[in-house]
């Protein structure tokens, strides 16, 4: 099906050998494989495809019905199957550029400044030139290749090089080799790991639905409250009131800017205070809301419900502590479009627009009457706690998947043993 001289053109595959950790290598590493596994050149079992960006000067190429994967799509959907994209292109955009419409199941790897993000197309799509893409043949399942690339994140970043931005170049990509078992074994491994990912996806949908319900509750409460009023955020909230100081021998769970996205954050590992960056100075407690002060248009924010005294956020966050209002109310008013628009209007700086703490304090917010506030807080916090339970379960499932992933890909753990582990744990 696939061939060494793929339709991407350009330079031929490198002759260098750069082994990865588990099941991926630039060149054939010619090393021992477990029983039933073999090394195969990826371009011989999957068709390598490139991406392209149609001219942005021509409006007829954009806004069509063809999803087009860019870096933002990969960063927000890393490790997932993707069905929608931030931008779309038209058939004219395909016909008048080097962009290609690729089939569902195509595995995409970001290879430029943001190296290593992996997504799989859920429907036919095109991609930017920031990606290398594989249309898998019968010897390798697309989801199995997806899991190999997920397991080899460290290796993929090591394969990259460049003077300005690290990039995985095509000579290395064309020389990729993967260590794979027979298709039947791939199916069992994919089914096991996929079950964990599917459960994570279900929990994500539960959390998203619950958050939408909170917003509906708030809108309904505000619309029906004849005694509602307005105030400022600083009147009902403490902003950056608790500082964290390094302690000798102490530990920290550090939340940095990159670990927070829209309404979610990556649970930080425990590290020693001595290893924490100098920006680790904002103490965070359960019930606090954290909002990134940098680039407010990205809406990097989260409600913290983990009762862990070691959580510390970067000084790049405004930590909002409820005083005269509840945590659910505080979070909801800072999620409103009006609040985000205000932050964008008072941000300072061109390259990295940021909002000062005193600007947060002056933000105008709606206030519910006392009775409405109590009712909303009670109902909304029940939903937020359901979201929190789903997120905690996902942490456990993701840790289990990530622990099994490289061992299954390398054959260190066989599928029958992994199935027992998952059965006992889930």
């Amino acid at each position: 099906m696939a061939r060494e001289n793929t339709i991407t053109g350009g330079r031929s595959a490198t002759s260098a050998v750069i082994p990865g950790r588990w099941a991926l290598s630039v060149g054939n590493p010619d090393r021992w494989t477990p029983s039933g596994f073999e090394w195969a050149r990826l371009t011989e079992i999957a068709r390598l495809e490139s991406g392209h960006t149609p001219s942005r000067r021509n409006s007829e190429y954009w806004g069509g019905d063809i999803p087009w994967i860019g870096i933002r799509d990969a960063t927000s959907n890393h490790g997932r199957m993707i069905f929608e994209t931030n931008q779309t292109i038209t058939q004219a955009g395909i016909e008048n550029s080097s962009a290609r419409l690729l089939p569902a199941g195509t595995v995409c790897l970001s290879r430029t400044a943001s190296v290593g993000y992996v997504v799989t197309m859920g429907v036919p799509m095109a991609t930017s030139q920031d990606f290398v893409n594989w249309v898998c043949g019968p010897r390798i399942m697309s989801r199995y290749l997806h899991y190999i690339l997920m397991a080899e994140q460290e290796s993929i970043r090591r394969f990259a090089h460049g003077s300005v931005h690290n990039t995985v170049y095509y000579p290395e990509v064309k020389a990729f080799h993967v260590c794979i078992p027979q298709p039947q074994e791939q199916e069992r491994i994919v089914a096991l790991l996929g079950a964990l990912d599917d459960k994570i996806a279900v929990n994500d949908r539960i959390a998203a639905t619950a958050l939408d319900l909170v917003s509906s509750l708030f809108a309904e409460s505000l619309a029906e409250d004849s005694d509602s009023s307005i105030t400022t955020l600083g009147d009902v909230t403490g902003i950056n009131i608790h500082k964290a100081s390094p302690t000798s021998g102490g530990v920290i769970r550090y939340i940095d800017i990159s670990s927070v996205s829209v309404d979610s954050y990556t649970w930080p590992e425990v590290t020693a205070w001595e290893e924490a960056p100098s920006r680790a100075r904002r103490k965070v407690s359960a019930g606090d809301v954290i909002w990134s002060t940098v680039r407010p248009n990205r809406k990097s924010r989260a409600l913290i419900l983990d009762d862990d005294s070691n959580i510390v956020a970067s000084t790049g966050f405004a930590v909002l502590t409820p005083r005269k209002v509840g945590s659910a109310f505080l979070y909801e008013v800072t999620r409103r479009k009006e609040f985000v628009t205000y932050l964008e209007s008072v941000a300072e700086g061109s390259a990295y627009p940021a909002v000062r703490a005193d600007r947060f304090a002056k933000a105008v917010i709606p206030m519910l009457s006392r009775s409405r506030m109590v009712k909303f807080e009670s109902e909304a916090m029940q939903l937020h706690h359901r979201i929190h339970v789903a997120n905690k379960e996902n942490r456990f499932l993701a840790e289990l998947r990530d622990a099994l992933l490289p061992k299954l890909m390398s054959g260190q753990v066989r599928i029958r043993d992994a199935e027992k582990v998952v059965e006992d744990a889930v």
Side-chain angles (χ1 to χ4, degrees), residues 53 59 97 102 237 269 278 362 378 394 398 416:
T53 303
S59 61
S97 74
L102 302 175
T237 305
E269 298 289 337
S278 60
K362 294 177 182 177
S378 174
N394 276 2
R416 67 176 68 88

Side-chain angles (χ1 to χ4, degrees), residues 336-349:
R336 301 180 77 226
K337 180 180 178 180
E338 295 85 349
F339 184 81
V340 178
T341 300
Y342 165 76
L343 293 184
E344 292 174 341
S345 71
V346 297
E348 300 173 356

Side-chain angles (χ1 to χ4, degrees), residues 73-80 116-119 146 149-150 153:
D73 300 300
T75 56
S76 60
N77 292 281
H78 178 51
R80 301 173 183 169
Y117 290 103
V118 181
V119 294
H146 177 111
L149 298 177
M150 290 295 294
Q153 291 290 290

Side-chain angles (χ1 to χ4, degrees), residues 123-187:
V123 296
M125 297 182 173
T127 78
S128 76
Q129 63 275 17
D130 297 305
F131 296 86
V132 284
N133 313 297
W134 287 276
V135 181
C136 294
R139 287 182 59 193
I140 184 168
M141 297 177 64
S142 63
R143 201 161 185 181
Y144 193 85
L145 175 58
H146 177 111
Y147 283 129
I148 287 178
L149 298 177
M150 290 295 294
E152 291 282 11
Q153 291 290 290
E154 179 184 323
S155 301
I156 291 168
R157 287 189 287 270
R158 185 159 46 83
F159 297 157
H161 56 91
S163 56
V164 179
H165 295 295
N166 279 348
T167 300
V168 182
Y169 290 98
Y170 275 96
E172 284 72 35
V173 171
K174 292 177 180 178
F176 274 6
H177 282 63
V178 290
C179 187
I180 56 173
Q182 292 299 307
Q184 297 88 341
E185 187 76 357
Q186 292 180 37
E187 289 179 6

